Amino acid sequence: MTRFVLRRVLQSAIVLLGVTLVVFLLLQLVPGDPVRVALGTRFDPQTYEALRSRAGLDQPLPVQYASYLGHALTGDLGVSFRTGQPVSWIVAERLPATLSLAVTAVVFALLVAFPLGIVAAVRSGSAVDHAARVFSQFGVSVPDFWMGIMGIILFAGVLGWLPPSGYVALTEDPGRWASHVALPAVTVGLVTASILTRFIRSSVLEVLSADYVRTAEAKGLRNRVVILRHVLRNALIPVVTVVAVQLASLLGGVIVIEVLFAWPGIGRLTFDAVQARDYPVLQGAVLLVAALFLLVNLLVDILYARLDPRITVK
Amino acid sequence: MSEQISRLDAGTSEKTVFSVEDLTVTVGTRRGPARAVAGVSWQVRAGETFALVGESGSGKSMTLLAATGLAPRAATVTGRVRLLDSELTALPDDRRRKLRGRHVGFVFQDPMTSLNPVLPVGRQVTEAAEEHLGLTRRAARDRAVELLELVGIPSAAQRVDAFPHQFSGGMRQRVVIAMALACEPDLLIADEPTTALDVTTQAQIVELVADLQQRLGTAVVWVTHDLGVVAGIADTVAVMYGGRIVEQGPVDAVFDTPTHPYTRALLAARPDPARRGEDLVAIPGAPPSPLDLPPGCAFWPRCPVRADPRCEHELPPLTPVGPGHTVRTFYPGETS
């Protein structure tokens, strides 16, 4: 198991290295000169050159990359062109907001999708099944920002139960954090729940027709035992992947939702960095998202090996 | 004399463990109702082996699934089924489930798919005993080792925690048999248990079940299309075609004097070493679709005899042709 984990960590590190290279090169293709943007109306050729050489932008590309990588390894992701603050600090500051939104959204989605998907499959063709189908169709076809706006109008405007936007850190005030996270999390979570419901339904349905489920029924086990012990565990294996992909993509920040709810997360940060051509911040944000993505996948692989004994861990 | 006969009777006619009477199964499909099983009756006594023979789709498996309450939801089942002293068909689902788990063991066709891939085999072997006999997890584990030893799995104590994919096909089928025996059932239903195995393993599994049956006195229903197995282990046999039993009786009688044209064709289709190099005998045509059964004898479209014109439009009655030997035919006397 340890060797398996180590090997997967090493693989992830190599992928991450590739990500840094791609991000670094891609940014070279983006038109627009960050130093010019930073100087704005105060442009003069001497300051321009001085700033360029201070940022290392006059060096050849491989040197720039090597220097970037060397610093990144020590946790130094450079400073923002715009504010002069260290990138690692900026990114770290935004992480809790995105993390708490993503995790809350996924937990909400799981709480909805699991019971709904399982019941829809076990009682396929029933009213619950049809309701689940309508729900998931609704969730995947209605744009999330529209649902978000409707949520704000209803719960913040008409009913006045929840704040329309803004963020309070969980560590600062859990109660106010919860009231602020509820609307964006449910908005994002509904989409995830719709996707998951469909997936869980079809996965459970497939397992229900498996021979070993008939074997379990032949043994005269209670229905609940058949579903929990024999169906769910097998149906869960493919679902884990989908949950992980959903979680990973939410960890990358949900740009529209974060903008809509004034949620100071990674998505919002990325959006602002692109607009300002703040390369170091953008690189830092993308690097962080990639790292989170790899981490989630690593955890999923380990979870997989635990769920499915057929995956040999050597 | 009469006393002697009655004593003989008592010796041979053990208690009927399982009986099916006039069982009919209709499955609702998208293209209309399909009559999978029509008016099938048979019984099996303790220690006896009853073989249900027929080609794929003849209703063998459906008969057993429906009789034990395992038919798919789309199926409508009528008729009467008795297990020991209980009328299964009259019982609510929950009672039937308990009786089935406690008194009936199942061995299904494909051991590669009939075991849950993510549960250790030992756990699967005894979960029925935990449910129906109230065994604790610890006692169940000991029992699992015992059962795995009984079916001939080497180093059972170590293998009890292994997963199905760590066993070969034949070994998995042994695990399934151990599982079927966990509650010491009165009836063992083996639904083509050797079809998915290679020939040498087949023989081992057949022998194992026959041996266990002798030791435990279980009644066995063996579903198969392997007539060699039937001749070797069955006491009575029923040949099914198009959802009906066309011939039924003691295995010697049916094999020595096959009467229904289908039974005869089936027996003639067995490969014969004496006719090496010749083409294998096949029954021309295909079995009828349960969606569209002929009004008369289901075998009529493929029948090489067609000795009675009524066969086409009228269902032949089950007619006795010998002791315990009945045939669905209009012309019982014309056996050649």
Side-chain angles (χ1 to χ4, degrees), chain A residues 122 124 211-212 214-215 217-222 229-230 233-234 237 307-310, chain B residues 73 97 100-101 106 108 113-119 123-124 127 131-132 163 165 179:
Chain A
V122 173
S124 75
D211 283 357
Y212 54 82
R214 188 186 54 189
T215 308
E217 281 168 354
K219 286 178 194 172
L221 301 178
R222 271 162 296 169
R229 194 182 297 159
H230 292 274
R233 180 112 183 256
N234 282 284
I237 295 167
L307 278 176
D308 190 344
R310 285 165 296 183
Chain B
R73 266 194 295 171
R97 168 180 74 74
R100 174 176 69 223
F106 288 85
F108 291 111
T113 57
S114 57
L115 288 167
N116 185 338
V118 303
L119 276 186
R123 187 96 180 75
Q124 297 191 56
E127 62 177 343
E131 167 81 26
H132 303 290
F163 290 95
H165 71 276
M179 192 163 78

Side-chain angles (χ1 to χ4, degrees), chain A residues 14-265:
Chain A
I14 294 167
V15 174
L16 202 57
L17 186 72
V19 171
T20 61
L21 183 63
V22 170
V23 167
F24 180 80
L25 290 178
L26 266 181
L27 290 180
Q28 303 303 319
L29 299 174
V30 180
D33 184 331
V35 181
R36 263 177 211 280
V37 174
L39 284 173
T41 50
R42 291 167 296 144
F43 180 83
D44 91 89
Q46 250 182 335
T47 329
Y48 175 74
E49 285 306 325
L51 268 179
R52 266 180 70 84
S53 84
R54 212 179 76 194
L57 293 175
D58 52 351
Q59 302 282 325
L61 277 186
V63 177
Q64 283 190 38
Y65 175 65
S67 139
Y68 171 72
L69 203 60
H71 284 109
L73 280 174
T74 59
D76 176 9
L77 297 169
V79 293
S80 163
F81 283 161
R82 221 164 37 130
T83 63
Q85 290 171 312
V87 169
S88 46
W89 189 80
I90 296 176
V91 170
E93 191 193 36
R94 300 295 188 105
L95 192 57
T98 286
L99 217 56
S100 63
L101 177 58
V103 170
T104 314
V106 167
V107 168
F108 168 78
L110 289 175
L111 289 177
V112 173
F114 259 96
L116 199 56
I118 292 166
V119 174
V122 173
R123 309 214 182 296
S124 75
S126 70
V128 178
D129 187 18
H130 291 301
R133 199 184 318 237
V134 170
F135 166 76
S136 53
Q137 192 63 47
F138 178 82
V140 292
S141 47
V142 175
D144 53 358
F145 68 85
W146 185 82
M147 278 199 276
I149 292 168
M150 292 300 126
I152 292 172
I153 292 173
L154 182 62
F155 293 101
V158 178
L159 298 168
W161 290 351
L162 296 167
S165 65
Y167 168 72
V168 175
L170 176 62
T171 46
E172 197 180 301
D173 185 340
R176 288 185 58 215
W177 168 80
S179 70
H180 281 86
V181 83
L183 266 182
V186 168
T187 306
V188 175
L190 274 177
V191 180
T192 309
S194 317
I195 297 167
L196 284 179
T197 302
R198 280 189 173 193
F199 205 81
I200 291 168
R201 178 186 180 271
S202 66
S203 184
V204 169
L205 214 51
E206 193 183 310
V207 173
L208 276 175
S209 64
D211 283 357
Y212 54 82
V213 172
R214 188 186 54 189
T215 308
E217 281 168 354
K219 286 178 194 172
L221 301 178
R222 271 162 296 169
N223 218 2
R224 197 165 44 87
V225 177
V226 174
I227 299 289
L228 291 179
R229 194 182 297 159
H230 292 274
V231 177
L232 267 196
R233 180 112 183 256
N234 282 284
L236 215 63
I237 295 167
V239 172
V240 166
T241 320
V242 181
V243 174
V245 170
Q246 291 295 320
L247 177 65
S249 72
L250 293 186
L251 285 176
V254 208
I255 295 177
V256 177
I257 293 299
E258 288 190 354
V259 171
L260 179 65
F261 286 94
W263 196 263

Side-chain angles (χ1 to χ4, degrees), chain B residues 190-205:
Chain B
D191 188 353
E192 304 205 31
T194 59
T195 308
L197 304 173
D198 63 62
V199 182
T200 48
T201 320
Q202 281 183 12
Q204 288 171 13
I205 295 294

Side-chain angles (χ1 to χ4, degrees), chain B residues 73-291:
Chain B
R73 266 194 295 171
T76 313
V77 182
T78 60
R80 302 201 309 165
V81 178
R82 280 188 80 81
L83 172 64
L84 301 171
D85 299 319
S86 308
E87 173 108 23
L88 282 190
T89 28
L91 291 175
D93 281 356
D94 199 51
R95 283 284 300 144
R96 188 161 50 188
R97 168 180 74 74
K98 283 182 182 148
L99 280 172
R100 174 176 69 223
R102 171 65 191 84
H103 298 290
V104 187
F106 288 85
V107 180
F108 291 111
Q109 181 170 349
D110 190 353
M112 307 310 267
T113 57
S114 57
L115 288 167
N116 185 338
V118 303
L119 276 186
V121 291
R123 187 96 180 75
Q124 297 191 56
V125 163
T126 47
E127 62 177 343
E130 282 174 51
E131 167 81 26
H132 303 290
L133 306 178
L135 252 61
T136 62
R137 281 291 274 275
R138 265 205 43 210
R141 210 189 123 89
D142 294 342
R143 176 93 178 113
V145 174
E146 211 178 290
L147 284 162
L148 292 176
E149 274 168 1
L150 180 73
V151 297
I153 292 199
S155 44
Q158 283 89 56
R159 305 282 271 158
V160 69
D161 295 320
F163 290 95
H165 71 276
Q166 293 163 318
F167 291 81
S168 69
M171 283 296 150
R172 282 194 212 191
Q173 199 60 304
R174 285 173 191 264
V175 170
V176 175
I177 292 169
M179 192 163 78
L181 297 175
C183 292
E184 296 184 345
D186 298 277
L187 173 68
L188 186 70
I189 291 178
D191 188 353
E192 304 205 31
T194 59
T195 308
L197 304 173
D198 63 62
V199 182
T200 48
T201 320
Q202 281 183 12
Q204 288 171 13
I205 295 294
V206 172
E207 231 165 87
L208 174 66
V209 173
D211 176 51
L212 290 170
Q213 179 186 25
Q214 278 210 324
R215 282 156 69 181
L216 308 171
T218 318
V220 175
V221 176
W222 193 290
V223 177
T224 184
H225 51 242
D226 186 335
L227 294 168
V229 171
V230 176
I233 62 165
D235 298 299
T236 48
V237 57
V239 181
M240 281 192 79
Y241 189 83
R244 286 203 157 86
I245 290 177
V246 294
E247 182 155 2
Q248 183 170 10
V251 75
D252 294 337
V254 172
F255 273 69
D256 293 344
T257 55
T259 306
H260 195 279
Y262 177 65
T263 314
R264 277 190 262 162
L266 207 58
L267 287 168
R270 281 184 299 175
D272 184 352
R275 286 180 294 168
R276 261 172 98 124
E278 291 174 35
D279 283 348
L280 290 173
V281 182
I283 307 174
S289 156
L291 283 162

Side-chain angles (χ1 to χ4, degrees), chain A residues 292-308:
Chain A
L292 286 174
F293 202 94
L294 288 168
L295 183 69
V296 169
N297 276 298
L298 178 68
L299 294 177
V300 165
D301 280 355
I302 295 168
L303 188 62
Y304 243 89
R306 285 203 61 90
L307 278 176
D308 190 344

